[in-house]
Amino acid sequence: VQLQASGGGLVQPGGSLKLSCKASGFTLNDVAIGWFRQASGPERKGIACVSKVVTRVTYDDSVKGRFTISRDDAENTVYLQMTNLQPQDTDVYYCARDRSGYCASSARYLYWGMDLWGSGTQVTVSS
């Protein structure tokens, strides 16, 4: 049972990346998946989450209008499309599972619902 994040890399300011979170050992149908960044505090910062009801999504204010989370249950994968990336987006990004199937309504509280974490993928935004 694991999550594998991938798709990070080096991009110039204003550029785009698409992160992938592939689940193995379980199916995504009944869970929520969130994306987080390491940030500088003791907890990883929630930035986006998609519930098992795909229309219910949560975004942190810092990424609204720039990032889009989506899921492909047939591929057992959740994606994070990142556009207009800026240097302050540089970080290690992680995906995680919430077995309740629902995301917290505020990104501030996403961290506490997660029970399984994937490996990180580095995103670097620099000219």
Side-chain angles (χ1 to χ4, degrees):
V1 175
Q2 64 177 357
L3 294 167
Q4 179 69 47
S6 62
L10 173 64
V11 63
Q12 293 185 340
S16 300
L17 283 174
K18 187 173 185 179
L19 305 185
S20 299
C21 177
K22 176 75 172 178
S24 60
F26 69 99
T27 61
L28 293 180
N29 302 66
D30 293 320
V31 303
I33 297 292
W35 281 99
F36 298 77
R37 56 183 296 178
Q38 183 60 50
S40 58
E43 299 169 4
R44 292 168 181 168
K45 179 182 179 181
I47 58 171
C49 184
V50 59
S51 299
K52 64 179 183 180
V53 178
V54 70
T55 54
R56 291 184 59 174
V57 295
T58 300
Y59 292 103
D60 183 71
D61 287 345
S62 66
V63 305
K64 283 181 181 176
R66 300 190 300 126
F67 293 8
T68 302
I69 190 169
S70 63
R71 59 191 298 156
D72 185 337
D73 288 351
E75 294 294 325
N76 226 28
T77 301
V78 171
Y79 302 98
L80 185 68
Q81 178 68 55
M82 313 166 78
T83 64
N84 192 23
L85 283 160
Q86 300 300 317
Q88 55 265 37
D89 296 315
T90 295
D91 215 329
V92 180
Y93 286 75
Y94 298 86
C95 59
R97 178 185 72 180
D98 186 328
R99 294 179 68 179
S100 76
Y102 294 96
C103 306
S105 57
S106 169
R108 179 184 303 181
Y109 304 117
L110 289 175
Y111 178 87
W112 299 105
M114 302 299 161
D115 76 310
L116 176 70
W117 291 85
S119 57
T121 185
Q122 175 72 46
V123 172
T124 302
V125 186
S126 175
S127 55

